[in-house]
Amino acid sequence: MAQCVQSVQEFIQDSFVPMVAVLCSEDADEVTRKNNLNFSELLRPFCRLTSEGHIRDPNNQVQVVKNLRISVNSIAARPAPLPTAGLPGPAQRRLLSEVVSACQPAEGGVANVITAGDYDLNISDRSVKASVPWYSDWRDTLTELSTSRHYTATTPWFEAYRESFLQSMPPSDHEFLNHYLACLLVVSSSEAVPVEQFLKLSQEQHRLQHSGEFTNPKWFIPNTLKYYVLLHDMSEGDEQRADTVYEDMKQRYGAQGCYLLKVNSRMAAAGANDQIPDPWSQYLHKISMHSQDVYEEPASAPAVNNISVENNVGVEDGHDSSDKDSNSLDSHPLQLDAPSDPGSLEALRVMTSEPKKPPSTAAGSSHGACLTLNDHDRIRQFIQEFTFRGLLPHIEKNIRQLNDQLVSRKGLSRSLFSATKKWFGGGKVPEKSISELKNTSGLLYPPEAPELQIRKMADLCFLVQHYELAYSCYHTAKKDFLSDQAMLYAAGALEMAAVAAFLQPGAPRPYPAHYMDTAIQTYRDVCKNMVLAERCALLSAEVLKSQAKYSDAATLLIKMTSEDSDLRSALLLEQAAHCFINMRSPMVRKFAFHMILAGHRFSKGGQKRHALRCYCQAMQVYKGKGWSLAEDHINFTIGRQSFTLRQPENAVSAFRHILTNDSQQTATQQGAFLREYLYVHKSMTGTDEVTLPQLPLPCIHSYATRVYFGHERRLAEGEKQAATHVSLDQEYDRDLAAMWRELEKQAVATVNRGLIPVTFHPTQCCLNSQTDNLRFPLAVVEEPVIVEVVFRNPLKVPLVLSDLSLLWKFTPKDFSLPGDNAAGQTISNERESLAPTTLQREDVIGTEVIAEFHMSTEETKVARLRLLPHLTGQLNILGVAYNLAASPSATSSDEQQASDLLTVRGRQDLEIQGPRLNLTKEEKTSVCHGPDRRLNPTITPAMPLLEVFFLQFPTALLCGEIRKAYVEFCNVSQVPLCGLRVASTHPDFFTFGSGGSPAGTPLSPSAYENCSAYKTLATAPGAAPGSAAVVTLVSAGDYGQPSGGAEIPLEEGMLRPGESVQLPLWLRGPDQEGVHEINFLFYYESAEKGGKISHRVLRHTVFICASRSLNVRAMACRSNTLAEEAKDREEESHNGSMLVFVDVENVNMSEAGVREFHIVQVSSSSKEWRLHKCINPAENTDCKLTNRESGKLCFRAKRCEPQQATSNTSETFTFADLSLGNEQIISSTTPCADFFFRQCQPLDLRKGLLAAGGTFSHSRSQGMVPDDFTGIVNKCSEVDLHVIVLWKAYVVEDNKQLILEGQLHVALQTIGKEACSLTPKEEAQEMVLLKFKPGLPPPMTRPTQEQLSHLIKTNLHYPESYSHPFAQKSLCVVPVTLTLSNCSLAQVDVIIDLRHKTTSPESFELHSSFTWLGQTQYKLQLGAQEVRRLPLQACFLTAGVYNLGTPRVFAKLADRGSMCETSQQTATPALIIINNA
């Protein structure tokens, strides 16, 4: 329950105070009227005594009366009757409603935050800030709140209601607490005969009490105390005369029964500027409302019971409920009041009127203007004298008299007080339950009944704070009433007995809460008196709250809610909710639920502001907890109440929450919500609006907003295939973006001589949530900016957006001017967007408007909105503006459709949160977000714009197939472009040709059909195929493509505006089968330098399906034959020769209709070697391969000529062509040489790096380091020879034969190792443990035994057959020459051992063995690449076939003393035939 200013004891004491009536003469009224007060109002601020009083009980014990307050009220000659029924009358209901309506929470005050469990509740009223958390020190908090006078109550409207309710209660016959104990007879001293006036007033009082004409006012006892007051006006009257009259009064009435009160000591004109306190102001408002409502009743008839009364009177919002039966339960508090028609809010608005202002006194009137502070003291002294000398003795006297009467009537020997223990010490009388008692609430006792005398004595004791005796009397009366079944009287006795027990000092007995429960049940169910039941509940709830029994208090308050009074039910439900929140373990959800119920009852009772406050406080609990239906109900009610109270902003905000959350309502309910929102928004919107309001629908996923700069891709025209570039239809791929970024870096680095500028930033044509948006993007003037906005309709109701456009702000800037002088005045289209028909700022930014944009139920849909900037500067895209309307349903009526078409124009801002920063320590320890500037492009001056089209571009190729296509470049801008180049992920896939390109190549696709893509020459007539190679020297610089891409040749190096050019493009199918994604990046620059954009790029992606063609394997072997002629021998000694075996296999599975392959030419390219001739038999030169066939070709290779090799070995390649047909393909020109260099260049670069490292090392000191040693050894077996196999394939397609061409490359690197054109598939690598610490450096690689066995090449020169006459000479000696060739570039120590190795199988001969004559072991040293011949003699004993290949050769590098000699590879078996002559 809410905290109160007063303690519970103070509240109960002030609820039951002695009542004093006032009768004034007309002259006395005139005296007090000078102060704008009547006599009772004059006394009211001073009615609380500041000193203690004393009385004696019947046992003559002194009782102290503390902090006593008396109630002084004027009674008229014909007072208005008040209802005595169990329900409040219309006047009382109107009074209570106005009191609650007039007391509202303070607006703009400091809100109170109460922490209850996991909730922080903001109680937005004049509240006290309790401890946090609330339940940690709840007892101390309650004590502080109860005893302190410096806090204001949390619910002042409830306290005002409670006070007014208790003061306006009509007096009842079953109790005497509200009956008058005394009457003040007031006469002015200016009267001619004051005693006569006193007599008239005394007679008037006697008539009111004893004539029987009036039921009200009621009097406590027949012998009412009459106190005579002579009022003297100090400003006019004769003070001496007043004293004389007063002395006469004391003689007549006694000194204890009269008093002279002197007032108006202050002259009206004197001391006008003195500030005198005005203690009357706080009482007058209540008095005026009381008097206004009370005297509105007809006063002509005596008071009667009025039972047929209406439930509530709506005061605040003008609802008249007299014609309605509000006892019905048609509207449930948790039922959403869905309007049946869209004009429901309009009807509410018509019903709404301004709140009635509380009545007030005349403006500018002051109170007590003629009174001084001394007069205040005199009035205070008068009240004290009257109470202590008149009232309290009178009460004491009546208590004694009543006690004596009761003792005599009961026949008791002792006083009632002394017999209390005896009465209550024995067994208790069993109390009957309420259900067992008959309805005798109408039973009336005569005034002299002993039971009423006991009750009267109890009430007197209670009023003077003698609670112990009062409790005893109440308890006795309770039993008497119950025995008589007088339930109304019994309930009153139970009620006051419980209160008296609670107020007893020292708490001798616990609070009998069951007394209160029985009393409430009796009042409500038996007596049907809700007024008394409500008073009983208010008292009991305060007592329970003071004892921290919040659960019991809440239960009691909830039981008192009923349909007969919405105002009472609302206030009690609100107090029950506060009880739940104040419990030791706060029940926050019960608090919120009962606040909802209270708000519903407030709304029914016409208290719209209080209803709105309750719903808002409950919303704090339900918000964000997933209770969407409860949130919808609360927000809907808040919206309606706010609209009724003329708070359209709050209404719009509440309805906005309903629409923005993911609602679980039905489609019908959501449609009603939307129509309500549109109507409220429309009624709030005025014609003089400056800005568009924010709309909640549809939801915008700002983070998913994409921005595209530039024109959208043009579609293909006929056979032309446009470059794919970037479009909004493509999904963003992070890996692809990184690939395009690397390609652009390569192109930029190539243009800038290998360096990337510091100002370089990758081009981003399409920005999204995954791109880098920290910098301002660059757009180009006169090129559109397309913004893709993602809308989501969260409702089950279709939406229609119309006149949808972007909102922007633009600052013009001339980038050619320096500094701040370039910026102009900021321009915006926000004002033009207020009305869609207004002319937009098309001269600055062209803004596209979408006429209609339909969204289905729960649909996510994108809208692409365009801006076309016409000026350079800074553009800021702010949001979108549109008209929102609900889509009309097919089943709705015409009126419904008209309301559905109600549109509201508004906006939504595009607010994008940047990425979280996580670099510095501060950013890591806090949540910081960087900027996201994708919506803030900088509009730069004009730039060239390139469009690329491809003609005759294939989608499928054979592996290695050469195809010719064409590319068309178009400059569609107004600025010339230059520096056109292309970079690609597959640079070996295409070529634009080079300096060696044949001049006769057709430049258009229609210039030839089925022409060869190669440059060919007819072979010489009569020349044998493959008999001699055509040798051509080519510089690698003419064909080598830089890593950053190839430059595309343009006329004059420039493409002017509007021009287009077609260039040939040669393609080569990838070596691996499958689908290949090939990416082209076209790079170009503006011919006008100095712009903010240095370059632009255009992207293109193609997919090529490669099918298998041929598989080529090649292997190089050393040739061991000797040239016959001296010239050839000399060449052999310097150059050497080599055999190259080429295996060709048709691996095509009849794919693409291929019938057969023809090997038309084999070419070679190398810096050191070349193919010399084909040594296949002549009949096998023509190589035709059908499906799954293979063939083998053998070629002799020679070293290049010395003069050729020394010209520029590192730059010059020797191409040798061996044609196997009737025409020769020039392999040293485009496209054959281009593709060769593109595929082989990466290998040559690696070799060049190794060679450079070896040369640098060798140029140092004489001693070789291990790197030199390894390089020298490897060099002995290395071969740098590339074999190019050119083929033709015959394909049948659509009954038409086509000839396809292609080339395959094989790189021979090592002697004896086979190389293949198809790279083997890589096997999955085994998992390797990660190493987080740097390990030891890898050990030095040493040459293997196989590599060391290639240092020396050996040849044996001997006759193939030799005849010898063994009959004449038994020994046959044959001369043999052993040729040793040093294959390395260093000196080599050689050991030759001619002795037979007995364990070797070679030592076993078919016939008798032979032997070597002469020296059998030699030790030689050969220089770098030195050739030495060693003469030997072989001796044979008999004829036969012998193998001369028995010499063993061991070699090692000359300065490697620690190494052993390694056995060298011997030649093939050298067989000699020895004939017997």
Side-chain angles (χ1 to χ4, degrees):
M1 195 167 183
Q3 305 306 315
C4 304
V5 175
Q6 291 179 312
S7 67
V8 183
Q9 289 78 5
E10 291 175 347
F11 160 66
I12 297 177
Q13 288 177 6
D14 288 350
S15 300
F16 303 100
V17 296
M19 303 286 290
V20 178
V22 174
L23 282 176
C24 291
S25 66
E26 293 183 2
D27 291 345
D29 283 335
E30 290 294 333
V31 173
T32 57
R33 203 172 293 124
K34 292 182 179 180
N35 297 288
N36 291 322
L37 300 167
N38 59 31
F39 189 76
S40 61
E41 292 173 351
L42 181 70
L43 302 183
R44 196 176 300 275
F46 310 100
C47 285
R48 184 177 296 278
L49 301 180
T50 57
S51 58
E52 297 180 352
H54 301 84
I55 64 169
R56 291 184 179 272
D57 59 21
N59 280 349
N60 208 25
Q61 299 293 325
V62 177
Q63 296 293 329
V64 180
V65 182
K66 298 181 180 179
N67 199 26
L68 180 64
R69 186 177 73 88
I70 63 175
S71 176
V72 181
N73 298 306
S74 298
I75 56 175
R78 299 186 62 82
L82 291 176
T84 58
L87 294 175
Q92 187 181 13
R93 291 197 308 274
R94 189 178 302 110
L95 164 68
L96 297 177
S97 181
E98 288 186 0
V99 166
V100 175
S101 177
C103 190
Q104 297 289 340
E107 296 182 1
V110 178
N112 175 30
V113 178
I114 295 180
T115 299
D118 297 331
Y119 297 84
D120 291 329
L121 302 181
N122 183 358
I123 308 300
S124 55
D125 53 25
R126 291 179 292 179
S127 57
V128 57
K129 187 162 186 179
S131 59
V132 181
W134 173 263
Y135 52 85
S136 61
D137 296 318
W138 59 275
R139 191 178 300 277
D140 297 337
T141 303
L142 287 176
T143 303
E144 179 183 2
L145 292 172
S146 300
T147 57
S148 175
R149 296 178 178 275
H150 301 289
Y151 296 104
T152 55
T154 56
T155 52
W157 47 90
F158 172 70
E159 292 187 25
Y161 168 86
R162 189 178 59 188
E163 181 181 355
S164 298
F165 170 78
L166 293 175
Q167 290 182 1
S168 62
M169 282 190 64
S172 176
D173 291 332
H174 79 287
E175 63 181 10
F176 304 93
L177 294 169
N178 289 345
H179 294 194
Y180 288 106
L181 274 169
C183 182
L184 296 179
L185 305 178
V186 184
V187 174
S188 173
S189 61
S190 59
E191 292 279 355
V193 185
V195 177
E196 292 183 2
Q197 287 297 326
F198 280 124
L199 181 58
K200 289 181 181 179
L201 293 178
S202 178
Q203 292 174 354
E204 178 69 17
Q205 188 276 331
H206 187 273
R207 187 176 68 87
L208 290 174
Q209 181 175 0
H210 299 289
S211 66
E213 300 178 13
F214 301 96
T215 57
N216 289 309
K218 294 184 181 297
W219 303 90
F220 206 105
I221 51 180
N223 187 18
T224 303
L225 172 65
K226 298 177 182 178
Y227 198 81
Y228 302 90
V229 180
L230 182 64
L231 188 62
H232 176 65
D233 189 349
M234 298 287 291
S235 61
E236 295 180 359
D238 185 358
E239 186 175 358
Q240 186 177 0
R241 181 176 182 275
D243 293 337
T244 304
V245 174
Y246 177 59
E247 289 297 330
D248 183 45
M249 290 171 58
K250 285 195 290 184
Q251 295 295 328
R252 185 182 296 272
Y253 307 117
Q256 309 295 329
C258 58
Y259 193 84
L260 173 61
L261 178 60
K262 298 178 181 181
V263 294
N264 296 346
S265 301
R266 185 177 182 219
M267 302 301 293
N273 296 328
D274 295 341
Q275 295 296 329
I276 302 298
D278 182 9
W280 295 274
S281 58
Q282 58 180 323
Y283 298 96
L284 293 185
H285 171 60
K286 303 175 185 177
I287 297 172
S288 61
M289 287 194 298
H290 276 278
S291 60
Q292 176 187 3
D293 291 320
V294 167
Y295 292 103
E296 282 177 0
E297 297 292 331
S300 59
V304 294
N305 292 343
N306 183 11
I307 301 176
S308 60
V309 293
E310 69 227 32
N311 179 21
N312 291 286
V313 177
V315 176
E316 179 178 2
D317 298 290
H319 292 273
D320 185 6
S321 57
S322 59
D323 298 330
K324 300 179 182 179
D325 182 12
S326 60
N327 290 329
S328 64
L329 291 173
D330 294 338
S331 58
H332 193 272
L334 293 183
Q335 175 184 352
L336 288 172
D337 303 328
S340 58
D341 61 293
S344 58
L345 277 181
E346 186 174 6
L348 277 179
R349 190 160 141 188
V350 172
M351 292 167 58
T352 304
S353 63
E354 288 294 330
K356 183 184 294 184
K357 297 182 180 180
S360 60
T361 56
S365 61
S366 60
H367 310 290
C370 298
L371 300 177
T372 63
L373 293 179
N374 290 331
D375 292 332
H376 293 185
D377 293 337
R378 292 191 188 101
I379 298 173
R380 191 177 292 110
Q381 182 65 29
F382 161 69
I383 293 295
Q384 187 168 344
E385 286 290 327
F386 164 71
T387 305
F388 291 162
R389 302 181 65 181
L391 184 60
L392 289 182
H394 178 70
I395 295 175
E396 179 182 341
K397 172 186 172 183
N398 281 277
I399 291 176
R400 287 179 179 275
Q401 290 178 356
L402 289 171
N403 182 59
D404 294 341
Q405 292 176 13
L406 292 174
V407 169
S408 62
R409 290 186 182 182
K410 291 291 184 180
L412 300 178
S413 59
R414 292 174 294 177
S415 69
L416 180 64
F417 181 71
S418 62
T420 302
K421 292 185 179 180
K422 178 179 178 181
W423 292 346
F424 303 113
K428 296 184 178 179
V429 177
E431 298 179 1
K432 298 180 181 180
S433 63
I434 297 300
S435 60
E436 297 173 358
L437 298 176
K438 60 181 179 180
N439 187 358
T440 55
S441 59
L443 177 63
L444 295 177
Y445 287 98
E448 65 277 1
E451 293 82 3
L452 288 188
Q453 303 304 316
I454 297 177
R455 173 61 198 252
K456 189 175 296 185
M457 177 178 173
D459 288 345
L460 282 175
C461 294
F462 188 89
L463 292 176
V464 293
Q465 303 176 10
H466 196 338
Y467 300 117
E468 185 177 0
L469 180 57
Y471 175 78
S472 301
C473 296
Y474 285 134
H475 201 281
T476 302
K478 180 255 304 183
K479 294 201 297 183
D480 293 340
F481 293 142
L482 285 177
S483 63
D484 294 338
Q485 294 189 3
M487 301 311 301
L488 179 62
Y489 295 89
L494 284 170
E495 174 188 5
M496 297 311 298
V499 174
F502 170 74
L503 292 177
Q504 288 185 40
R509 54 179 58 87
Y511 170 66
H514 61 285
Y515 280 11
M516 279 294 193
D517 295 339
T518 306
I520 294 173
Q521 191 174 1
T522 304
Y523 282 142
R524 185 182 59 199
D525 300 335
V526 178
C527 305
K528 307 299 182 183
N529 194 318
M530 289 302 298
V531 175
L532 295 174
E534 181 179 354
R535 182 189 70 179
C536 193
L538 293 176
L539 296 174
S540 182
E542 287 294 332
V543 173
L544 292 173
K545 181 197 71 173
S546 68
Q547 297 177 345
K549 297 178 180 179
Y550 291 105
S551 178
D552 297 339
T555 304
L556 175 62
L557 293 169
I558 294 172
K559 284 182 179 179
M560 282 304 300
T561 60
S562 63
E563 290 301 313
D564 63 298
S565 174
D566 290 319
L567 180 61
R568 180 189 69 239
S569 300
L571 290 167
L572 297 185
L573 285 170
E574 182 182 13
Q575 294 305 306
H578 281 279
C579 288
F580 289 123
I581 202 64
N582 284 338
M583 300 176 79
R584 186 182 183 97
S585 296
M587 305 176 75
V588 184
R589 284 176 290 184
K590 276 184 174 290
F591 161 79
F593 180 71
H594 286 84
M595 289 299 284
I596 293 293
L597 298 178
H600 175 69
R601 299 304 294 270
F602 271 129
S603 179
K604 289 182 64 179
Q607 301 288 338
K608 302 299 183 183
R609 295 186 186 276
H610 287 292
L612 179 61
R613 174 185 50 78
C614 290
Y615 277 102
C616 290
Q617 290 186 7
M619 189 62 189
Q620 300 174 88
V621 177
Y622 288 104
K623 186 177 182 180
K625 298 298 185 299
W627 299 325
S628 60
L629 295 179
E631 283 192 63
D632 291 345
H633 166 74
I634 297 172
N635 279 313
F636 182 77
T637 309
I638 290 175
R640 280 203 148 195
Q641 298 287 5
S642 299
F643 181 78
T644 306
L645 294 172
R646 288 179 172 80
Q647 299 175 6
E649 295 82 4
N650 296 338
V652 167
S653 176
F655 282 117
R656 181 187 183 91
H657 284 294
I658 302 178
L659 300 175
T660 53
N661 294 334
D662 291 331
S663 176
Q664 298 180 9
Q665 303 285 350
T666 62
T668 305
Q669 192 67 57
Q670 290 180 358
F673 286 161
L674 180 58
R675 289 191 296 271
E676 296 272 1
Y677 172 78
L678 293 176
Y679 180 80
V680 170
H681 221 307
K682 193 73 174 177
S683 63
M684 183 187 72
T685 306
T687 57
D688 55 346
E689 280 207 49
V690 180
T691 59
L692 289 173
Q694 294 286 339
L695 297 180
L697 290 176
C699 300
I700 293 182
H701 297 307
S702 297
Y703 192 68
T705 302
R706 297 195 297 171
V707 184
Y708 179 80
F709 303 102
H711 296 278
E712 287 190 305
R713 172 195 171 203
R714 258 182 17 183
L715 300 177
E717 300 175 359
E719 296 182 355
K720 293 182 180 181
Q721 177 186 352
T724 56
H725 195 44
V726 184
S727 70
L728 289 170
D729 298 326
Q730 301 171 357
E731 294 293 333
Y732 180 80
D733 188 299
R734 192 178 298 274
D735 297 332
L736 279 179
M739 180 270 300
W740 289 116
R741 186 164 54 248
E742 289 302 318
L743 286 180
E744 187 173 356
K745 281 185 179 180
Q746 293 176 12
V748 171
T750 304
V751 173
N752 292 275
R753 300 180 181 179
L755 299 177
I756 297 179
V758 180
T759 58
F760 166 76
H761 296 296
T763 302
Q764 297 185 122
C765 297
C766 184
L767 300 180
N768 54 47
S769 58
Q770 302 181 61
T771 55
D772 181 12
N773 305 323
L774 295 178
R775 291 175 299 275
F776 292 99
L778 299 179
V780 180
V781 68
E782 300 297 341
E783 291 188 15
V785 177
I786 304 174
V787 180
E788 182 184 83
V789 184
V790 181
F791 292 99
R792 182 178 69 88
N793 179 13
L795 303 181
K796 301 170 186 175
V797 179
L799 298 178
V800 178
L801 309 185
S802 57
D803 296 326
L804 177 62
S805 63
L806 288 173
L807 295 174
W808 48 263
K809 182 173 62 176
F810 182 72
T811 305
K813 187 175 182 181
D814 189 353
F815 292 102
S816 61
L817 299 178
D820 299 334
N821 298 328
Q825 187 176 2
T826 301
I827 306 170
S828 175
N829 73 331
E830 293 179 88
R831 181 173 293 277
E832 287 77 8
S833 298
L834 290 173
T837 57
T838 307
L839 185 62
Q840 302 288 331
R841 305 295 296 271
E842 295 293 335
D843 55 334
V844 179
I845 303 287
T847 306
E848 180 188 17
V849 179
I850 298 178
E852 281 195 353
F853 187 77
H854 294 267
M855 297 193 70
S856 303
T857 59
E858 298 180 335
E859 180 187 13
T860 299
K861 192 174 181 180
V862 297
R864 294 176 181 173
L865 302 166
R866 304 168 190 269
L867 298 176
L868 184 63
H870 301 298
L871 300 175
T872 60
Q874 184 63 47
L875 175 64
N876 296 321
I877 300 173
L878 306 176
V880 291
Y882 55 92
N883 295 328
L884 174 62
S887 179
S889 58
T891 59
S892 58
S893 62
D894 294 340
E895 292 185 4
Q896 186 77 12
Q897 288 190 6
S899 65
D900 286 340
L901 294 177
L902 180 67
T903 61
V904 172
R905 184 153 187 85
R907 63 183 289 173
Q908 283 199 62
D909 294 336
L910 294 174
E911 298 175 350
I912 304 176
Q913 187 180 57
R916 180 175 176 179
L917 304 179
N918 199 26
L919 298 177
T920 64
K921 181 179 180 181
E922 291 76 10
E923 293 172 350
K924 292 179 180 179
T925 55
S926 61
V927 180
C928 301
H929 293 271
D932 191 307
R933 297 192 171 98
R934 73 181 90 164
L935 296 176
N936 303 320
T938 300
I939 311 301
T940 63
M943 285 288 292
L945 184 61
L946 178 69
E947 287 190 354
V948 179
F949 298 95
F950 296 86
L951 292 82
Q952 297 184 355
F953 203 92
T955 58
L957 294 171
L958 294 174
C959 293
E961 179 187 351
I962 303 296
R963 188 77 64 91
K964 190 174 184 180
Y966 288 85
V967 184
E968 181 178 347
F969 298 98
C970 304
N971 183 3
V972 296
S973 68
Q974 302 299 320
V975 181
L977 67 84
C978 62
L980 181 61
R981 61 175 54 247
V982 60
S984 175
T985 53
H986 296 71
D988 54 346
F989 172 72
F990 69 96
T991 179
F992 281 94
S994 58
S997 179
T1001 302
L1003 294 179
S1004 64
S1006 59
Y1008 77 99
E1009 185 177 2
N1010 278 339
C1011 290
S1012 174
Y1014 295 107
K1015 180 181 180 181
T1016 59
L1017 295 174
T1019 56
S1027 60
V1030 179
V1031 179
T1032 309
L1033 296 180
V1034 172
S1035 174
D1038 296 338
Y1039 292 89
Q1041 182 182 16
S1043 60
E1047 185 175 357
I1048 300 175
L1050 296 174
E1051 292 185 9
E1052 302 178 4
M1054 184 181 299
L1055 194 61
R1056 291 181 173 80
E1059 289 187 354
S1060 62
V1061 63
Q1062 281 189 356
L1063 296 177
L1065 175 70
W1066 287 270
L1067 309 175
R1068 179 177 179 271
D1071 290 325
Q1072 294 291 333
E1073 65 171 332
V1075 179
H1076 298 264
E1077 178 181 347
I1078 300 174
N1079 300 287
F1080 297 89
L1081 180 79
F1082 296 95
Y1083 170 100
Y1084 58 97
E1085 300 175 356
S1086 172
E1088 302 172 359
K1089 304 298 180 182
K1092 291 184 72 67
I1093 302 178
S1094 61
H1095 65 275
R1096 303 189 82 174
V1097 296
L1098 179 67
R1099 303 174 183 176
H1100 179 59
T1101 300
V1102 295
F1103 292 91
I1104 298 295
C1105 180
S1107 304
R1108 290 181 291 182
S1109 57
L1110 299 177
N1111 182 19
V1112 180
R1113 297 187 301 274
M1115 185 174 64
C1117 299
R1118 283 178 175 160
S1119 175
N1120 293 321
T1121 59
L1122 290 176
E1124 296 179 357
E1125 300 180 359
K1127 180 178 179 181
D1128 291 341
R1129 187 179 295 115
E1130 184 178 357
E1131 291 180 1
E1132 180 72 23
S1133 63
H1134 285 85
N1135 299 326
S1137 63
M1138 185 171 57
L1139 295 178
V1140 177
F1141 297 92
V1142 179
D1143 291 309
V1144 183
E1145 180 185 4
N1146 182 359
V1147 294
N1148 184 272
M1149 303 297 292
S1150 297
E1151 299 171 358
V1154 178
R1155 290 194 310 168
E1156 62 181 7
F1157 286 90
H1158 285 218
I1159 309 302
V1160 297
Q1161 182 171 310
V1162 178
S1163 301
S1164 68
S1165 175
S1166 175
K1167 298 179 183 178
E1168 299 180 357
W1169 297 88
R1170 65 179 178 87
L1171 293 181
H1172 179 54
K1173 62 180 179 180
C1174 178
I1175 58 176
N1176 275 38
E1179 61 271 12
N1180 293 333
T1181 54
D1182 189 11
C1183 187
K1184 296 182 181 180
L1185 303 176
T1186 58
N1187 186 21
R1188 308 302 295 173
E1189 289 186 343
S1190 62
K1192 192 178 188 71
L1193 300 174
C1194 181
F1195 301 91
R1196 180 182 295 279
K1198 297 173 56 178
R1199 286 190 180 272
C1200 298
E1201 299 297 331
Q1203 65 273 15
Q1204 296 171 355
T1206 58
S1207 61
N1208 192 354
T1209 306
S1210 61
E1211 295 288 342
T1212 305
F1213 283 76
T1214 300
F1215 280 79
D1217 300 331
L1218 286 172
S1219 175
L1220 303 181
N1222 55 4
E1223 62 179 7
Q1224 176 194 347
I1225 297 175
I1226 304 176
S1227 62
S1228 60
T1229 60
T1230 297
C1232 183
D1234 294 88
F1235 289 118
F1236 162 73
F1237 282 111
R1238 275 160 174 72
Q1239 187 176 28
C1240 303
Q1241 193 174 30
L1243 179 64
D1244 293 335
L1245 288 175
R1246 292 196 298 271
K1247 289 181 61 182
L1249 292 176
L1250 290 175
T1255 305
F1256 175 74
S1257 302
H1258 186 67
S1259 63
R1260 296 191 303 181
S1261 60
Q1262 292 279 337
M1264 290 185 299
V1265 296
D1267 292 340
D1268 297 327
F1269 167 58
T1270 305
I1272 290 173
V1273 173
N1274 291 339
K1275 190 69 176 176
C1276 298
S1277 59
E1278 280 187 2
V1279 178
D1280 184 13
L1281 178 64
H1282 298 270
V1283 178
I1284 306 172
V1285 177
L1286 294 100
W1287 50 264
K1288 289 186 178 181
Y1290 294 88
V1291 179
V1292 177
E1293 183 178 318
D1294 297 333
N1295 296 324
K1296 184 178 180 182
Q1297 179 171 311
L1298 302 177
I1299 301 176
L1300 306 181
E1301 299 173 298
Q1303 65 187 55
L1304 297 173
H1305 309 117
V1306 181
L1308 294 172
Q1309 301 296 328
T1310 306
I1311 291 178
K1313 284 191 175 181
E1314 188 179 66
C1316 185
S1317 62
L1318 295 178
T1319 57
K1321 294 183 179 179
E1322 297 183 358
E1323 297 181 357
Q1325 297 182 353
E1326 296 182 358
M1327 187 178 296
V1328 181
L1329 292 176
L1330 295 175
K1331 294 181 180 180
F1332 295 98
K1333 294 183 179 180
L1336 298 175
M1340 292 186 299
T1341 57
R1342 301 181 64 85
T1344 62
Q1345 292 293 326
E1346 182 183 0
Q1347 292 174 332
L1348 292 173
S1349 65
H1350 290 286
L1351 292 175
I1352 301 297
K1353 184 177 75 170
T1354 60
N1355 280 329
L1356 287 174
H1357 298 267
Y1358 58 90
E1360 293 182 1
S1361 63
Y1362 190 83
S1363 299
H1364 178 74
F1366 286 97
Q1368 300 176 4
K1369 192 175 182 179
S1370 59
L1371 295 176
C1372 174
V1373 180
V1374 178
V1376 178
T1377 302
L1378 177 61
T1379 304
L1380 303 173
S1381 298
N1382 184 3
C1383 297
S1384 69
L1385 298 176
Q1387 292 183 351
V1388 178
D1389 292 337
V1390 182
I1391 296 177
I1392 304 169
D1393 188 0
L1394 301 179
R1395 293 173 296 179
H1396 294 299
K1397 189 175 182 182
T1398 56
T1399 58
S1400 62
E1402 289 85 358
S1403 63
F1404 177 77
E1405 300 293 339
L1406 183 61
H1407 300 290
S1408 59
S1409 62
F1410 79 96
T1411 183
W1412 296 97
L1413 298 180
Q1415 187 176 348
T1416 58
Q1417 191 168 356
Y1418 296 87
K1419 185 175 183 180
L1420 307 174
Q1421 188 176 64
L1422 300 181
Q1425 295 185 344
E1426 180 183 354
V1427 178
R1428 184 175 297 184
R1429 291 175 173 82
L1430 187 65
L1432 303 177
Q1433 289 184 342
C1435 179
F1436 303 92
L1437 299 179
T1438 59
V1441 179
Y1442 296 89
N1443 181 13
L1444 298 180
T1446 60
R1448 291 176 293 165
V1449 179
F1450 302 90
K1452 70 171 185 176
L1453 295 179
D1455 48 1
R1456 286 285 171 178
S1458 61
M1459 293 185 59
C1460 298
E1461 293 81 358
T1462 304
S1463 175
Q1464 302 298 296
Q1465 287 186 355
T1466 57
T1468 55
L1471 301 179
I1472 187 172
I1473 302 173
I1474 303 298
N1475 297 321
N1476 189 5

